[in-house]
Amino acid sequence: MTSPVLALRRAIIDAASGDAELRALMGGALRLYDEPPRGAEPVYALFGDVKAEDWSTDADRGHAQSVDLVIWSEKGGARTALMVADRFFAILDDASLTVEGHRLVNLRVTELASIRDKDSGLARVTLSLRAVTEVV
């Protein structure tokens, strides 16, 4: 069985990498990582916190996931990070993604929050998602 967390991450990357507007906002390429590359300059996004819980029924084995995408801004403001978050929202909310080894029941954006990081002074926008998948 493929991990529901890893399978959903792959599906998110696949969907986002096909969006030209998102790539343009991120400097010409999808910059979505598990960890920030050494010396990476914003704007980029990271897979943040994730929580997967059993969501099985008598007939199907499934998972409910809470997933955060964290977008780091350029110096001087949150505008570009918010624009990137808006594109992720447009791409992912209620999307029909192909999730290897699983059937995506639904995917919703549940929250968008922006705060300024005290250490770097950069704005950080967090897009929270909720996904329900069933094992196929």
Side-chain angles (χ1 to χ4, degrees):
M1 178 173 78
T2 305
S3 159
V5 172
L6 295 176
L8 182 60
R9 283 184 176 195
R10 179 79 255 160
I12 289 170
I13 289 169
D14 289 347
S17 64
D19 189 85
E21 187 176 341
L22 177 62
R23 290 192 320 267
L25 287 168
M26 298 183 98
L30 178 65
R31 300 179 69 211
L32 174 57
Y33 311 111
D34 287 326
E35 297 290 330
R38 188 177 299 274
E41 290 294 322
V43 169
Y44 61 83
L46 302 173
F47 284 107
D49 293 339
V50 64
K51 180 179 181 181
E53 297 178 294
D54 183 57
W55 195 75
S56 299
T57 64
D58 289 341
D60 297 302
R61 183 166 173 84
H63 299 88
Q65 294 183 52
S66 299
V67 180
D68 287 343
L69 296 180
V70 181
I71 301 106
W72 287 88
S73 71
E74 298 173 313
K75 292 187 188 308
R79 179 178 162 75
T80 305
L82 287 166
M83 291 171 64
V84 167
D86 282 345
R87 280 310 302 154
F88 273 116
F89 189 115
I91 295 163
L92 298 174
D93 190 56
D94 204 26
S96 300
L97 305 182
T98 301
V99 182
E100 182 182 347
H102 304 266
R103 182 179 76 78
L104 183 62
V105 175
N106 67 32
L107 177 62
R108 295 276 191 231
V109 174
T110 59
E111 183 178 54
L112 184 146
S114 179
I115 64 170
R116 186 144 321 267
D117 183 70
K118 290 179 173 108
D119 294 330
S120 67
L122 299 175
R124 163 174 97 223
V125 178
T126 301
L127 195 66
S128 298
L129 311 170
R130 182 175 187 280
V132 176
T133 57
E134 295 174 340
V135 177
V136 292

